Amino acid sequence: MVTDHDAISGPGAPGSVPRSGRSAAHLVPPTDRAGYLRAWSALHGDYDVASSVLVRGWLALTYGVARPLVRGRVTPGAVTTVGVMLAIAALGVAALGGPWASVAAAVLLVASALTDSLDGAVALLRGRSSALGYVADSVADRISDLTALGILVVLGGPPAAVLAIAALTLLQETLRARAVSAGMNDIGVVTVWERPSRIIAVTVTVLGCVFVADTTTFALIGTAVAGALAVIGFGQLVLTVRRRLRGHDAPRVDRIRG
């Protein structure tokens, strides 16, 4: 997000908050998609976008949608707010039950996921970055994550299992953020349980419930798949962080604990 936000978009994008302490940092706005991808990579520790089809495809999509928003002077903050509202609306619509409600919830969920990434794309294309925007974007993403997982409960998924998935999701994002603070200079690894994966898992479950008679069983299957991905994704990040930070000194702030 930019102007009021930092230039973060795409799956698993922590740790790119400007470290200068200024409320807003001016960047050179990219003028084409290749420039946008290079700028995104630079803000994420020179992460190789070409190494992941998921990341490259997601960024290309958000770039294409963000361009007209920038021309229309839409602010990143407005995009962030809309994304959270769409996620909440998806949960509410899914709770209504019925085939059409499920379809509408899936559409709203995908729109929310796209919007959550658009704020960073709009920010980057506008050419400004801020620490406040980074924090707002991260909080909005976690709200949307938890709301999306709540749909699994509405569909009939076991609440305890969904709660465990939510905990693993938050732990993954916390681990990555702390690893960046401790010296890891990029996102580490794109796991199997990033934001696009989370949205896909819930969306497929929602749409699947339209075509089956026993929606509770299908919701249980969807929850099990999401749980497996959450466990694997967290494990991927744990191994990566362990390898990358082995031998690093702890940040000074962590050494002073009373």
Side-chain angles (χ1 to χ4, degrees), residues 46-129:
D46 293 324
Y47 180 83
D48 184 7
V49 175
S51 67
S52 172
V53 175
L54 176 64
V55 173
R56 186 170 64 252
W58 189 261
L59 292 179
L61 175 62
T62 54
Y63 170 77
V65 178
R67 288 186 65 191
L69 296 180
V70 173
R71 288 195 294 267
R73 298 183 180 277
V74 176
T75 66
V79 178
T80 300
T81 301
V82 169
V84 173
M85 293 176 64
L86 287 172
I88 295 174
L91 176 60
V93 171
L96 297 176
W100 289 110
S102 294
V103 172
V107 171
L108 289 169
L109 194 57
V110 172
S112 171
L114 178 60
T115 306
D116 283 343
S117 292
L118 279 177
D119 51 12
V122 169
L124 186 53
L125 291 174
R126 287 170 65 100
R128 296 187 59 176
S129 174

Side-chain angles (χ1 to χ4, degrees), residues 83-178:
V84 173
M85 293 176 64
L86 287 172
I88 295 174
L91 176 60
V93 171
L96 297 176
W100 289 110
S102 294
V103 172
V107 171
L108 289 169
L109 194 57
V110 172
S112 171
L114 178 60
T115 306
D116 283 343
S117 292
L118 279 177
D119 51 12
V122 169
L124 186 53
L125 291 174
R126 287 170 65 100
R128 296 187 59 176
S129 174
S130 80
L132 177 61
Y134 168 75
V135 174
D137 184 52
S138 298
V139 171
D141 284 349
R142 300 295 75 77
I143 292 174
S144 297
D145 280 338
L146 296 178
T147 303
L149 292 174
I151 294 177
L152 294 176
V153 177
V154 168
L155 295 176
V162 176
L163 181 61
I165 296 170
L168 277 174
T169 301
L170 295 179
L171 280 172
Q172 176 172 314
E173 297 301 335
T174 301
L175 171 60
R176 181 178 272 139
R178 294 294 289 172

